[in-house]
Amino acid sequence: MAQDVQLSDADLEKVRALLNANYNPQDHQEAQELILGALQEVQHLFGWVPFEAARLIAEHLGVSENLIYGLLTFYADFRTEPPGNHFMLLCHGTACYVGGSQRLIDTLRDRYGIGADETTADGELTVQIVNGCLGVCDCAPLIHLDHVYHGNLTVESFVEAIENAKRNGPARRDHAAH
Amino acid sequence: MRLTNRREFEQLAESAREKFAALGTGGRWSISVGMSECSFAKGARETWDHFRLQLERAGIQHDLRQVGCGGWCWAEPYVIVSGPSHPAVLYGNITADQVPDIVRAIEQGAISREHAVGIFGDADYDGIPSIHSDPFFARQHRVLLADAGVIDPTSIEEYIANGGYSAWIKALFEMTPEQLIDEVKTSNIRGRGGAGFPAGIKWESGRQARATPKYVACNSHEGEPNVYKDRRLIESSPHMVLEGIMIACVAVGSQRGYNYIGGEHMLAVARFKHAVQQAYEYGLLGENILGSGITCHIRTRTGGGAYICGEGSALMYSVMGERGQPRTKPPRSVEEGLWRRPTVLNNTETLAAVPAIIRNGGAWYAGLGVPKSTGTKLITFQGPLKRLGVVEVEMGISLRDLIFDVYGGMAEGRTFKGVQTGGVSAGALVESQLDVPVDFDSLTPLGGMLGSGGFVVFDERVCAVEFARYLMAFNRYESCSKCTPCRLGNPALVEIVDRIRLGRASMSDLKLIERTSKHVIELSLCGLGQVAPMPLLGMMQAFPEEFAEHIERHHCRAGVCPVGQQVLEPVAAD
């Protein structure tokens, strides 16, 4: 986990408020059940799960930090590094594959120098390749960029969507939530 | 509004029915926009906004409603308009710029022919055909999807108006748990997640298990890369799934049910949570429900994007806040599941069928489909077909009818090459095998599988070898790495396929694939590992000539493999 990124006091307060409002288990069983949900909500809030937020969750639910680290590294959806200005889910489900999503992945590698779960060197774009499926298969191949779907992509329209997003300036951070 | 007894429920149902029947009558227009994740992708939110403004500006008396996904993804964003001067009509592909056309038609009391897909009813009207003259609708038998695209998924009253929760009332007041189990056993419904285990027998084992408390869990994880039936079902009829879980709780003798939904299906999670909250508010969940003395609580839990969590034991570890890694069985989960207590785990689709089975009787359900695979099945198709979407058909329909009739055949200029069955867990079938009936048992001998009902059609642009690599790479990535054959065998298989793609393989590599696969299949612990090499083996069986071409002639028909780009010495297999 990126320990050098510090959360501001205001951000920490947001996490505490969220935990106090929605995460009040009756017993240890329920506390265990709530961990994944709490991590997801934190990720929605910041676009990733900062170390200090994970520690707050551990304290609040009475579980160990190690256990939380184990979850963050097991479940593919969690990010432990802050994402770039723009966040893209690239669907690589079977329908998108048949529609040519491999060419989009190749384009990311060749043109932007990034692969799965990586951020471009200029911090502009983070991509998460979704192995499962976004479930909008009739628009394959498809991406979800800054909360907007772009479907029936060719390599050209794919690059255009990325460049347009970059020109429009940084997206809201919670757009990286997934 | 908290209901406290059965009579209050009946009264509510009566008034809900009247209210629902009044939609689109009395001089008011009813405009229903399909709002689900798939239609958002095509701009349904904008369509909705434009309708809201333009209907108001035109001064039309109307109810603008949101409904779920009807399954006709090819027509999204879609709108159903009914009103004083004509029956309900389904309009397709209504993006924001088409909205003025529809609003103008409403003003004139006419139907916009240009956008009409069909009349939403049995009879033709004014030269516009009924949707039932279209094979996409006519060949469906909608039980689970009966309310999809019809009711507002966020309204418990609209669900009740259409017969919702009447099975729950039966379970509370009229039937014993044993009778509930008997009905499900009579229906002979088999597990819709893919394994096909009879649900009634599972319920019975759950009921007979001695340890308490017991739990019911619904598997709505749906992490497979070509299946989206469960999330569309939850987005469209969350209460139907919920009612099924609640009935299972009573039948098994459990006071708590869980629904485990993939965390990435955010709209499905939100709509299901909303449904649970409504059921509590109406007094249909909680303690001493409607004075029956029965207690039932439902919790929603979400996963984090790990395919393996769709496996039973892994799912339970994930609910319990652990890493989702399967364990050895026995004990089976009906003996030791959540919190080491008896747990009955069913797929979303299985549980969603339960309210209809209890309402209409198990014998009615058993009369649908074919004897060994009763009932209806949700099917999703992807690939270069004319139409795409979710359909609900009776078991036993042939693959050919599905592809070339229901889904309208291949898209313009594309030729059928094969169809991948069983998600990522089975092989592909070719044209000559398409007359096989779609049910639990018929596809398996051909190397295919029904699985959860996800099929992918592909054409000549797809290379069989690269496709096999894609499917193998998926299983390699999603392996939880707990046991060695799966952790090391799958990467080894991907490497061998890569060798073929690069033109560096020899024919003996095909033997090596078979041998390695045997180890992975026989020695892996859970369902993922035991079927992981199946798509590769299936692809080799369906398209042996393409594998041979890559190896011997360094030729890729689809022109996508880097085979033959560089001359390299063949690498010995052993």
Side-chain angles (χ1 to χ4, degrees), chain A residues 53-75:
Chain A
R55 187 152 63 192
L56 279 182
I57 294 174
E59 272 172 28
H60 185 86
L61 294 176
V63 296
S64 74
E65 286 171 21
N66 284 354
L67 188 132
I68 294 210
Y69 187 72
L71 297 178
L72 289 175
T73 48
F74 183 82
Y75 292 96

Side-chain angles (χ1 to χ4, degrees), chain A residues 33 40 70 75 92 131 135 149, chain B residues 37 232 258 302-303 470 477:
Chain A
E33 287 176 16
Q40 271 156 349
Y75 292 96
H92 197 37
N131 248 318
Y149 288 102
Chain B
E37 200 64 40
R232 290 295 103 80
Y258 289 88
T302 52
Y470 165 81
Y477 182 82

Side-chain angles (χ1 to χ4, degrees), chain B residues 2 24 112 181 211 481 501 506 531:
Chain B
R2 197 179 163 77
S112 165
I181 291 172
S481 302
R501 288 181 63 236
S506 62
V531 298

Side-chain angles (χ1 to χ4, degrees), chain B residues 416-469:
Chain B
F416 180 89
K417 177 173 177 178
V419 53
Q420 169 67 19
T421 65
V424 290
S425 310
L429 301 182
V430 293
E431 216 275 334
S432 59
Q433 298 172 307
L434 290 185
D435 291 310
V436 63
V438 173
D439 60 33
F440 281 112
D441 311 300
S442 304
L443 290 159
T444 320
L446 302 179
M449 188 173 134
L450 175 60
S452 39
F455 296 89
V456 182
V457 168
F458 51 97
D459 68 349
E460 303 294 338
R461 299 180 198 187
V462 172
C463 164
V465 179
E466 204 203 41
F467 197 6
R469 190 220 184 253

Side-chain angles (χ1 to χ4, degrees), chain B residues 44-251:
Chain B
R45 280 199 182 97
E46 290 72 21
T47 301
W48 167 277
D49 287 343
H50 281 240
F51 264 116
R52 196 167 48 85
L53 282 173
Q54 294 182 27
L55 286 167
E56 236 156 71
R57 205 176 295 150
I60 295 167
Q61 291 276 318
H62 71 276
D63 298 300
L64 182 59
R65 309 165 62 230
Q66 65 164 343
V67 292
C69 168
W72 38 84
C73 298
W74 46 273
E76 280 177 335
Y78 77 90
V79 182
I80 299 169
V81 176
S82 67
S85 52
H86 63 71
V89 56
L90 172 65
Y91 290 117
N93 303 312
I94 307 299
T95 45
D97 46 335
Q98 319 287 334
V99 172
D101 288 356
I102 308 296
V103 173
R104 207 172 307 122
I106 294 174
E107 278 183 295
Q108 295 162 351
I111 295 176
S112 165
R113 279 165 201 285
E114 195 190 335
H115 305 291
V117 174
I119 297 295
F120 212 74
D122 293 327
D124 296 4
Y125 178 84
D126 197 16
I128 296 166
S130 154
I131 52 168
H132 296 295
S133 58
D134 183 327
F136 183 85
F137 299 93
R139 300 209 62 162
Q140 293 196 48
H141 188 123
R142 291 163 78 98
V143 176
L144 305 184
L145 295 182
D147 295 339
V150 176
I151 65 167
D152 178 348
T154 60
S155 161
I156 188 170
E157 295 202 9
E158 289 199 5
Y159 178 64
I160 292 173
N162 285 276
Y165 289 113
S166 58
W168 177 233
I169 295 295
K170 269 185 148 179
L172 290 177
F173 298 106
E174 289 171 20
M175 295 170 75
T176 63
E178 286 74 19
Q179 284 171 323
L180 291 171
I181 291 172
D182 277 345
E183 285 302 334
V184 175
K185 275 171 80 180
T186 309
S187 78
N188 206 8
I189 182 172
R190 294 169 64 180
R192 262 48 181 160
F197 188 80
I201 294 178
K202 203 186 251 184
W203 285 24
E204 193 166 54
S205 327
R207 173 114 205 128
Q208 285 163 354
R210 263 186 251 148
T212 53
K214 298 172 187 177
Y215 302 110
V216 168
C218 173
N219 184 351
S220 305
H221 179 254
E222 202 169 50
E224 216 151 5
N226 52 359
V227 184
Y228 49 91
K229 63 178 179 73
D230 291 345
R231 63 193 103 154
R232 290 295 103 80
L233 185 60
I234 297 175
E235 286 169 11
S236 306
S237 302
H239 284 284
M240 187 186 277
V241 178
L242 175 59
E243 189 181 359
I245 303 175
M246 287 153 63
I247 293 169
C249 283
V250 171

Side-chain angles (χ1 to χ4, degrees), chain A residues 15-157:
Chain A
V15 177
R16 280 195 200 98
L18 182 147
L19 290 170
N20 288 329
N22 300 334
Y23 293 88
N24 299 301
Q26 294 160 356
D27 49 29
H28 185 62
Q29 274 188 6
E30 199 182 353
Q32 294 263 108
E33 287 176 16
L34 291 177
I35 306 169
L36 279 172
L39 289 170
Q40 271 156 349
E41 273 206 52
V42 164
Q43 176 147 308
H44 285 221
L45 204 58
F46 301 114
W48 63 298
V49 183
F51 175 73
E52 295 135 305
R55 187 152 63 192
L56 279 182
I57 294 174
E59 272 172 28
H60 185 86
L61 294 176
V63 296
S64 74
E65 286 171 21
N66 284 354
L67 188 132
I68 294 210
Y69 187 72
L71 297 178
L72 289 175
T73 48
F74 183 82
Y75 292 96
D77 279 354
F78 293 120
R79 280 182 296 281
T80 51
E81 304 280 340
N85 291 335
H86 302 279
F87 181 73
M88 179 201 290
L89 294 169
L90 191 155
C91 185
H92 197 37
T94 325
C96 283
Y97 165 77
V98 169
S101 58
Q102 186 63 49
R103 313 295 159 251
L104 307 184
I105 294 174
D106 294 346
T107 307
L108 280 179
R109 184 196 58 211
D110 299 340
R111 190 179 164 125
Y112 297 97
I114 50 171
D117 299 322
E118 287 177 353
T119 304
T120 50
D122 58 5
E124 278 285 339
L125 177 70
T126 299
V127 66
Q128 181 180 344
I129 294 174
V130 181
N131 248 318
C133 178
L134 294 178
V136 193
C137 306
D138 54 320
C139 295
L142 165 110
I143 58 170
H144 193 237
L145 178 61
D146 295 341
H147 245 43
V148 180
Y149 288 102
H150 302 263
N152 299 316
L153 291 169
T154 59
V155 169
E156 291 73 32
S157 58

Side-chain angles (χ1 to χ4, degrees), chain B residues 367-500:
Chain B
L368 303 174
V370 290
K372 281 194 170 164
S373 302
T374 58
T376 59
K377 181 83 193 74
L378 297 179
I379 302 278
T380 54
F381 258 87
Q382 291 88 37
L385 291 167
K386 280 219 180 77
R387 292 172 161 180
L388 292 170
V390 192
V391 298
E392 182 174 2
V393 291
E394 284 190 44
M395 289 274 198
I397 188 173
S398 77
L399 256 184
R400 191 182 300 281
D401 282 354
L402 268 174
I403 296 172
F404 292 98
D405 201 22
V406 178
Y407 285 97
M410 299 298 288
E412 219 51 54
R414 313 294 282 267
T415 355
F416 180 89
K417 177 173 177 178
V419 53
Q420 169 67 19
T421 65
V424 290
S425 310
L429 301 182
V430 293
E431 216 275 334
S432 59
Q433 298 172 307
L434 290 185
D435 291 310
V436 63
V438 173
D439 60 33
F440 281 112
D441 311 300
S442 304
L443 290 159
T444 320
L446 302 179
M449 188 173 134
L450 175 60
S452 39
F455 296 89
V456 182
V457 168
F458 51 97
D459 68 349
E460 303 294 338
R461 299 180 198 187
V462 172
C463 164
V465 179
E466 204 203 41
F467 197 6
R469 190 220 184 253
Y470 165 81
L471 295 163
M472 278 314 302
F474 177 87
N475 284 331
R476 171 188 69 174
Y477 182 82
E478 296 295 347
S479 165
C480 83
S481 302
K482 180 167 177 170
C483 42
T484 318
C486 181
R487 182 177 65 237
L488 300 183
N490 287 321
L493 287 169
V494 174
E495 271 174 36
I496 303 171
V497 181
D498 271 339
R499 220 151 56 209
I500 300 175

